[in-house]
Amino acid sequence: MSVKVIEKEEIKVVGLPWTGTYGEAKTLPSLFNKMEERLEEVACLTNEPVVIAPFHSRETEFTYYVTKPVQKIEDVPEGMVGFTIPRKNYVVTTHKGRLEEVENTYHQLFTWMKEYGYEQDHHALGLEIFKEEHKQQNVSGDLHFEIYLPVRSYKE
């Protein structure tokens, strides 16, 4: 597994929120479909060919957003949210495979972080970034997306 550490600039996004238990996460693909159906409602979209899925993890549940990057947050459609993801340092890897294998990719990333002295920033949003170029294979269930976990510190 290839992992790198990067600083990502601030991103403004607008999209649909979802909160549920980890067991309910299998319903998330429908959120991507709903976002695609409502895309024309979002003002000030950038040309960046990605879907950004920020998330907050908690012990028993998590909040997940399916969003598109925007130039500015303006006229947020009903039922959607708009917010700014601040500039942050992340450890990054790519998940390639089935939905059932995503948890394993995260475990490998957590192991890497521990081995190299990185501490996750649990107060910041994690990100999953889905590129347009992989859309068809993602729809078919052969997932291909980047995982960004926010890091608080680096231990020498």
Side-chain angles (χ1 to χ4, degrees):
M1 179 169 81
S2 171
V3 179
K4 59 187 174 195
V5 182
I6 66 158
E7 182 179 41
K8 194 154 187 56
E9 291 300 317
E10 174 184 284
I11 312 166
K12 291 175 178 38
V13 295
V14 171
L16 294 168
W18 176 91
T19 298
T21 66
Y22 292 96
E24 296 169 321
K26 60 185 169 292
T27 66
L28 286 175
S30 67
L31 196 63
F32 284 82
N33 296 337
K34 285 180 192 163
M35 183 64 193
E36 190 163 334
E37 290 166 9
R38 297 189 60 193
L39 212 47
E40 71 280 350
E41 298 175 43
V42 179
C44 306
L45 285 170
T46 70
N47 290 329
E48 197 173 352
V50 297
V51 171
I52 300 173
F55 60 90
H56 294 282
S57 299
R58 293 177 292 284
E59 197 169 334
T60 58
E61 65 178 16
F62 67 106
T63 299
Y64 195 86
Y65 306 88
V66 175
T67 70
K68 290 290 282 183
V70 294
Q71 294 158 359
K72 59 184 175 180
I73 300 168
E74 190 173 278
D75 300 325
V76 176
E78 187 173 333
M80 291 192 188
V81 294
F83 56 93
T84 300
I85 302 164
R87 184 174 63 193
K88 188 82 185 134
N89 290 321
Y90 295 90
V91 293
V92 184
T93 194
T94 301
H95 172 77
K96 295 178 188 174
R98 298 187 340 264
L99 181 61
E100 300 79 26
E101 299 165 343
V102 172
E103 188 176 344
N104 185 45
T105 301
Y106 274 93
H107 285 301
Q108 290 178 34
L109 190 53
F110 292 137
T111 300
W112 185 94
M113 288 170 63
K114 187 173 183 176
E115 184 178 327
Y116 287 92
Y118 288 91
E119 184 181 349
Q120 185 175 354
D121 183 349
H122 293 284
H123 297 290
L125 290 164
L127 307 172
E128 292 179 348
I129 297 184
F130 298 82
K131 295 181 178 176
E132 186 70 31
E133 66 193 74
H134 300 121
K135 183 177 181 178
Q136 289 309 315
Q137 72 186 85
N138 285 335
V139 168
S140 74
D142 180 23
L143 299 178
H144 189 285
F145 63 92
E146 296 171 348
I147 298 171
Y148 290 73
L149 289 180
V151 290
R152 180 181 10 249
S153 61
Y154 176 68
K155 299 177 191 122
E156 293 292 332

